[in-house]
């Protein structure tokens, strides 16, 4: 299960050995209400004062409890609407909600108590999968690349997930991996639109399509030292929140931030060992027509996950299930070329359900 964004909870079922065999099953998305989104936004603000990952200042303890209940509700609905029930599930991979990510301080916080979920369904649950990598000096993200490799049929290929932050996985011809956060995904655009309209995102990229890019503001954004850092590297959702767009109209701001996301994704190609055959776009950003148009200008052979009979909405939830199986088997979920950790690391906390 993935609740990585502020938009909702994705649930996906797969059958896998945690290696090359993956059989994808049903998936569902359960959007958060406006009230829940506001609660999570407050949690992000309260998390800024954390200096120890066990701390839960402000409303964080309350939100952590609520998150477990929200995910339980999502799973109950999932079981009700599919041909599966909890007796058929071997393990749950629970992402939780990232509220702070500062790997340079060996600090990452994913709210979510997997024990509550394990107790409800009596299914072993793996959660808190980033922590061991960060503790070992890695970036703690992205963790999906090893799942991308299992899906890749014609490497070299690049998988791009456009969530709050955008990240890329390069899968080489021999299965070699390189992965890193490329820059902003949807977060800056969403926050800009919400600030000015109260809406939570630029639906279909309509606002961006109606605006023209401010070249000066775009140049300033792309001048960030982050883009010259050699990968692996990662970002917090609010890493670019300091950008000054004062004076820009709603549409021009949306267009500029959309261009920023597209150009920062395209810039990732300079770190690849060889040109890729395809850029596969996953995550919510692929629904933004303005962003997809910008990516197709910047990059060759851009497709969305569905063009390859994959599901761009459920891929991260599928990946967390895959990672949970790898964790159970003691297989690595992060690598020097994906998170910068010194040696491959397994991870996650495994809990069993208590009657």
């Amino acid at each position: 299960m993935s609740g990585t964004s502020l938009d909702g909870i994705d649930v996906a079922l797969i059958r896998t050995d945690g290696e090359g065999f993956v059989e994808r099953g049903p998936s569902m998305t359960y959007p958060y209400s406006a009230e829940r989104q506001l609660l999570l936004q407050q949690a992000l603000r309260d998390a800024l004062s954390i200096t120890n990952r066990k701390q839960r200042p402000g409303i964080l303890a309350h939100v952590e409890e609520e998150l477990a209940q929200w995910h339980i509700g999502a799973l109950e609905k999932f079981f009700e609407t599919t041909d599966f029930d909890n007796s058929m599930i071997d393990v749950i991979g629970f992402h939780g909600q990232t509220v702070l990510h500062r790997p340079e301080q060996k600090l990452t916080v994913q709210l979510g108590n997997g024990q509550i979920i394990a107790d409800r369904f009596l299914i072993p649950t793996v959660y808190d999968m980033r922590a061991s990598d960060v503790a070992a000096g890695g970036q703690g993200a992205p963790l999906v690349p090893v799942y991308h490799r299992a899906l890749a049929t014609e490497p070299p290929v690049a998988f791009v997930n456009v969530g709050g932050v955008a990240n890329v996985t390069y899968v080489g011809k021999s299965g070699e991996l390189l992965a890193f956060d490329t820059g902003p995904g949807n977060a800056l655009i969403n926050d800009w639109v919400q600030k000015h309209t109260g809406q939570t995102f630029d639906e279909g990229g309509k606002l961006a399509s109606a605006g023209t890019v401010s070249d000066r503001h775009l140049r300033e954004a792309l001048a960030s030292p982050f883009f010259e850092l050699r990968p692996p590297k990662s970002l917090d959702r609010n890493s670019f929140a300091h950008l000054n767009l004062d004076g820009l109209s709603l549409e021009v701001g949306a267009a500029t931030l959309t261009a920023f996301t597209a150009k920062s994704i395209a810039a990732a190609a300079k770190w690849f060992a060889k040109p890729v055959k395809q850029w596969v776009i996953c995550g919510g950003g692929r629904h933004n027509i303005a962003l997809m148009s910008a990516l197709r200008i910047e990059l060759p052979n851009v497709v969305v996950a569905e063009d390859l009979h994959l599901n761009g909405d459920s891929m991260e939830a599928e990946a967390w299930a895959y990672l949970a199986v790898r964790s159970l088997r003691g297989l690595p979920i992060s690598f020097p070329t994906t998170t910068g950790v010194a040696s491959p690391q397994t991870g996650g906390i495994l809990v069993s359900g208590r009657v």
Side-chain angles (χ1 to χ4, degrees):
M1 290 185 297
S2 176
T4 56
S5 76
L6 303 186
D7 299 329
I9 297 168
D10 297 320
V11 180
L13 180 67
I14 65 170
R15 182 177 288 113
T16 183
D17 61 358
E19 297 187 81
F21 171 72
V22 176
E23 186 178 287
R24 298 172 48 252
S27 62
M28 300 288 289
T29 296
Y30 302 96
Y32 284 141
S33 64
E35 291 77 14
R36 288 182 178 182
Q37 289 181 340
L38 289 172
L39 198 63
L40 291 174
Q41 289 166 0
Q42 182 61 50
L44 289 171
R45 291 189 288 270
D46 289 352
L48 294 173
S49 65
I50 291 176
T51 56
N52 180 302
R53 67 185 312 269
K54 299 297 184 183
Q55 294 172 342
R56 296 293 184 265
I59 66 168
L60 292 185
H62 169 68
V63 171
E64 186 158 45
E65 188 78 20
E66 288 291 290
L67 271 168
Q69 298 303 325
W70 299 346
H71 282 73
I72 285 171
L75 274 175
E76 289 173 340
K77 290 177 183 176
F78 182 80
F79 291 141
E80 287 171 5
T81 53
T82 65
D83 294 329
F84 297 88
D85 60 52
N86 56 315
S87 66
M88 305 167 70
I89 310 301
D90 296 317
V91 64
I92 294 172
F94 174 37
H95 184 285
Q97 178 69 50
T98 300
V99 292
L100 190 72
H101 187 65
R102 294 176 181 168
E104 70 282 358
Q105 300 173 16
K106 293 192 174 181
L107 180 60
T108 188
V109 180
Q110 284 72 50
L111 291 185
N113 185 342
Q115 186 68 66
I116 298 172
I117 293 172
D119 290 347
R120 167 61 184 84
F121 296 105
L122 301 180
I123 300 172
T125 299
V126 180
Y127 70 108
D128 204 12
M129 293 196 212
R130 300 189 191 279
S132 60
D133 181 85
V134 171
Q139 294 285 315
L143 294 187
V144 179
V146 69
Y147 182 59
H148 287 152
R149 182 169 64 189
L151 297 178
T153 56
E154 293 188 41
V157 63
F159 288 85
V160 180
N161 180 59
V162 187
V165 170
N167 58 67
V168 66
T169 300
Y170 168 84
V171 183
K173 199 167 183 64
S174 300
E176 62 271 29
L177 291 173
L178 177 66
F180 53 98
D181 287 348
T182 61
N186 303 316
L188 293 181
I189 303 166
N190 294 350
D191 291 351
W192 174 261
V193 171
Q194 184 164 34
K195 175 183 175 182
H196 289 272
T197 70
Q199 300 171 7
T200 55
F201 65 105
D202 181 8
E203 185 175 1
K206 293 175 183 176
L207 294 171
S209 297
T212 55
V213 175
S214 169
D215 291 333
R216 177 175 69 83
H217 289 87
L218 180 59
R219 282 196 304 272
E220 290 174 358
L222 290 169
S224 169
F226 173 81
F227 299 111
E228 296 306 316
L229 292 176
R230 182 171 294 277
K233 52 187 177 179
S234 68
L235 292 164
D236 181 81
R237 182 189 184 280
N238 294 318
S239 292
F240 291 95
H242 63 280
L243 290 178
N244 183 2
L245 300 180
D246 290 348
L248 298 187
S249 70
L250 169 62
E251 292 80 7
V252 169
T256 302
L257 292 173
T258 300
F260 181 29
T261 291
K263 285 188 174 292
S264 57
I265 289 170
K270 70 180 180 180
W271 303 110
F272 297 169
K274 292 186 177 178
V276 297
K277 294 179 182 178
Q278 285 181 320
W279 290 78
V280 184
I281 312 302
C282 313
R286 77 192 192 290
H287 298 304
N288 184 320
I289 295 171
L291 177 59
M292 291 302 300
S293 295
L295 286 171
R296 289 190 169 105
I297 291 170
E298 297 289 336
L299 295 168
N301 303 321
V302 172
V303 299
V304 295
E306 286 71 17
D307 293 332
L308 303 181
H309 307 291
L310 301 172
N311 187 324
D313 288 323
S314 67
M315 191 172 294
E316 188 145 0
E318 293 171 15
W320 242 251
Y322 181 83
L323 293 172
V325 173
R326 288 185 69 86
S327 179
L328 279 180
R329 297 187 59 196
L331 297 171
I333 63 174
S334 63
F335 306 84
T337 55
T338 61
T339 67
V341 72
S343 60
Q345 299 287 315
T346 191
I349 297 172
L350 171 64
V351 290
S352 297
R354 300 171 299 198
V355 178

